Amino acid sequence: MTVTQSKTAHLLHLEQTYDSGVYNKHQIVIAKGKDALVWDTDGREYIDCVAGYGVANIGHSNPDVVAAVIEQVQTLMCLPQTLPNDKRAEFLEELVSVLPKGLERVFLCNSGTEAMEAAKKFAITATGRSKFVSMKRGFAGRTLGALAFTWEPKYREPFGDAVDNANVQFASYGDIASLEAAITEETAAVIMEPIQGEGGVRPADLEFMRAARRITKEKGALLIFDEIQTGFCRTGKMFATEHFCNPECPGKETCVFGALEGCAAPDGMTLAKAMAGGVPIGAFVMSKEIADKMPKGGHGTTFGGNPLAMAAGLAAIRFMKREKLWEQAEAKGNYFMEKLRAIPSSKIREVRGRGLMIGVELKEKSAPYIHALEHDEAVLSLQATPLVVRFLPPIVISYEQIDQVVAAFSRVLESVNPKG
Ligand SMILES: *Cc1c(COP(=O)(O)O)cnc(C)c1O
């Protein structure tokens, strides 16, 4: 064994020995990242189409975020939200500037699942109701409250009655009749992803979203979009919500928020992942009417809105705006999907997605292909349901790197024999 090999083996051993054991660990140790690349402790370079599950939209170690973080750690790192802070104030203004009109209040927290918990509490106080509608195949996070909205039984079943499922109805994603049947006068909110990620990369269709908007309005329920994975340019718009705008809409400046026939603008959105360029952060953003109904002290978090995350988030959102990153996601995503569709392999059932949130559904289990991509081709990809290979690269990925990933994928489609 060489020195580096034994060091890697030792590090793997430490993780295996001391980690709780809940994760299925890969057999590599990643030590460094830059833009769309990461390197392991043996110096091997990978194209990263995992991007921290869609966190690294603006690239690993984005220079703007790095500079902002370095400055902020030397200035002030922690501060509770009862004490106003310069970076927090500026971040809030910057965030609201990119949100769909009508969403103008922000509850800051530290992760996606916390954003879901906040959405739940704000929906309850805003409506005086406590029942929810979520979607089959939906994913909403792993804390007990968010878990109740997560469909996949294997995530919920080990915890039995502790998961608050009695108050959650699951409708079929894309099925208007099923949605209509699930929403009642007791529904506080319908919560769903505009494109299901974990559920296999499934975009919602416009008619379904419009129906969701219309029915929730009729029944006095809120419509909340989980944009934790789809937000911040991933799908070719700043938020996937914008795919459901009425084409007649005059745009954000004069948007009349849901007033136009067919507009599916939500009452709230949960955000996290890419919002601070890699630093942990989460938020529930909502209308003023929803925020006003929460009593003072009704919710809170110690780390939420900390100056470090705020400085990182400010730099990240400014980078996205300056680079028009949503346009890059749209153009690169279309290019990527076109190339994937051109792979002449009978193993591919469907290539689908939006922007750089891409799923390739195979006719067989995807795991061996994901493993071969990593092992043989140094490309990191992600599973989404047993049959789907998911690509969520940093949006700063180059066209040349996309070409390399597609070439690698077509090679593993040839080389892997699933029957052994
Ligand atoms: C990642 C994710 C979550 C959970 O976010 P965490 O930060 O992991 O708690 C919730 N909803 C969706 C759609 C996600 O992709």
Side-chain angles (χ1 to χ4, degrees):
M1 261 201 209
T2 68
V3 174
T4 48
Q5 277 171 330
S6 71
K7 187 184 170 204
T8 297
H10 180 60
L11 294 169
L12 281 171
H13 171 75
L14 292 178
E15 282 221 20
Q16 227 113 46
T17 307
Y18 297 117
D19 189 272
S20 70
V22 299
Y23 300 101
N24 235 327
K25 301 220 179 230
H26 296 218
Q27 293 302 304
I28 54 177
V29 180
I30 301 294
K32 196 176 124 175
K34 182 74 191 132
D35 300 331
L37 298 173
V38 294
W39 289 266
D40 70 15
T41 42
D42 296 326
R44 190 177 189 214
E45 179 181 293
Y46 300 79
I47 301 178
D48 181 14
C49 293
V50 173
Y53 298 159
V55 169
N57 289 11
I58 63 174
H60 290 287
S61 292
N62 178 282
D64 292 9
V65 172
V66 169
V69 164
I70 288 172
E71 199 197 319
Q72 196 58 42
V73 293
Q74 291 169 334
T75 309
L76 182 69
M77 282 203 272
C78 69
L79 193 74
Q81 301 202 60
T82 46
L83 291 169
N85 169 256
D86 54 343
K87 288 296 175 340
R88 192 188 300 127
E90 290 175 44
F91 173 79
L92 287 168
E93 184 185 37
E94 195 71 49
L95 175 60
V96 171
S97 83
V98 298
L99 295 177
K101 183 124 184 238
L103 304 183
E104 52 193 348
R105 292 298 164 105
V106 180
F107 176 81
L108 291 165
C109 52
N110 314 287
S111 67
T113 202
E114 276 180 65
M116 299 305 296
E117 298 288 342
K120 199 167 181 175
K121 286 179 78 173
F122 276 97
I124 292 168
T125 53
T127 60
R129 305 170 179 183
S130 56
K131 302 229 183 279
F132 291 87
V133 173
S134 182
M135 295 297 138
K136 290 182 180 165
R137 294 208 180 101
F139 181 83
R142 310 288 209 108
T143 56
L144 287 169
L147 199 54
F149 300 144
T150 294
W151 180 72
E152 175 60 51
K154 78 166 184 238
Y155 291 145
R156 291 185 278 116
E157 272 166 3
F159 311 101
D161 292 347
V163 185
D164 179 24
N165 267 133
N167 287 317
V168 179
Q169 276 264 6
F170 289 101
S172 297
Y173 197 62
D175 178 344
I176 296 174
S178 154
L179 183 67
E180 193 135 35
I183 304 174
T184 71
E185 310 280 329
E186 290 177 64
T187 306
V190 173
I191 299 195
M192 67 169 133
E193 300 154 86
I195 299 177
Q196 290 187 326
E198 291 274 320
V201 189
R202 294 166 198 281
D205 70 82
L206 188 58
E207 288 318 307
F208 181 69
M209 287 312 212
R210 287 180 176 169
R213 180 65 283 180
R214 176 180 54 76
I215 302 163
T216 46
K217 245 192 195 145
E218 284 166 10
K219 296 273 171 67
L222 303 177
L223 179 62
I224 296 172
F225 287 164
D226 176 350
E227 289 248 21
I228 293 168
Q229 190 169 135
T230 52
F232 299 102
C233 310
R234 172 60 56 194
T235 72
K237 301 273 187 195
M238 183 59 91
F239 298 100
T241 300
E242 297 165 35
H243 291 298
F244 308 110
C245 288
N246 184 317
E248 314 266 284
C249 180
K252 181 176 158 62
E253 294 315 314
T254 44
C255 164
V256 275
F257 188 56
L260 273 180
E261 178 68 24
C263 174
D267 303 295
M269 305 196 302
T270 53
L271 307 174
K273 292 202 164 104
M275 184 160 46
V279 174
I281 192 168
F284 175 56
V285 299
M286 67 200 107
S287 65
K288 182 174 181 299
E289 295 74 56
I290 296 176
D292 284 346
K293 295 261 177 55
M294 176 65 85
K296 279 259 176 287
H299 198 33
T301 151
T302 298
F303 278 123
N306 69 82
L308 181 59
M310 298 295 99
L314 193 56
I317 295 176
R318 285 184 178 159
F319 178 89
M320 293 172 199
K321 282 167 89 170
R322 196 183 69 228
E323 300 293 322
K324 291 196 167 42
L325 202 68
W326 56 91
E327 289 180 2
Q328 290 189 39
E330 167 92 4
K332 290 173 185 176
N334 288 340
Y335 178 84
F336 200 158
M337 284 189 279
E338 208 172 285
K339 291 239 151 179
L340 286 167
R341 288 190 181 112
I343 296 176
S345 171
S346 59
K347 290 175 176 173
I348 295 178
R349 174 168 290 143
E350 189 185 22
V351 177
R352 56 176 181 256
R354 224 154 177 180
L356 281 172
M357 184 167 176
I358 298 172
V360 182
E361 183 165 330
L362 302 179
K363 292 178 188 160
E364 52 201 54
K365 294 237 161 31
S366 58
Y369 296 90
I370 292 166
H371 179 261
L373 272 174
E374 173 184 317
H375 191 265
D376 304 341
E377 301 286 350
V379 169
L380 302 181
S381 62
L382 198 57
Q383 204 173 29
T385 75
L387 299 180
V388 176
V389 181
R390 182 166 36 149
F391 296 103
L392 287 179
I395 298 166
V396 297
I397 190 171
S398 69
Y399 284 91
E400 197 186 342
Q401 286 166 335
I402 292 172
D403 289 344
Q404 288 169 13
V405 172
V406 173
F409 188 52
S410 65
R411 283 193 294 271
V412 303
L413 284 169
E414 283 281 316
S415 66
V416 173
N417 177 359
K419 276 112 205 154

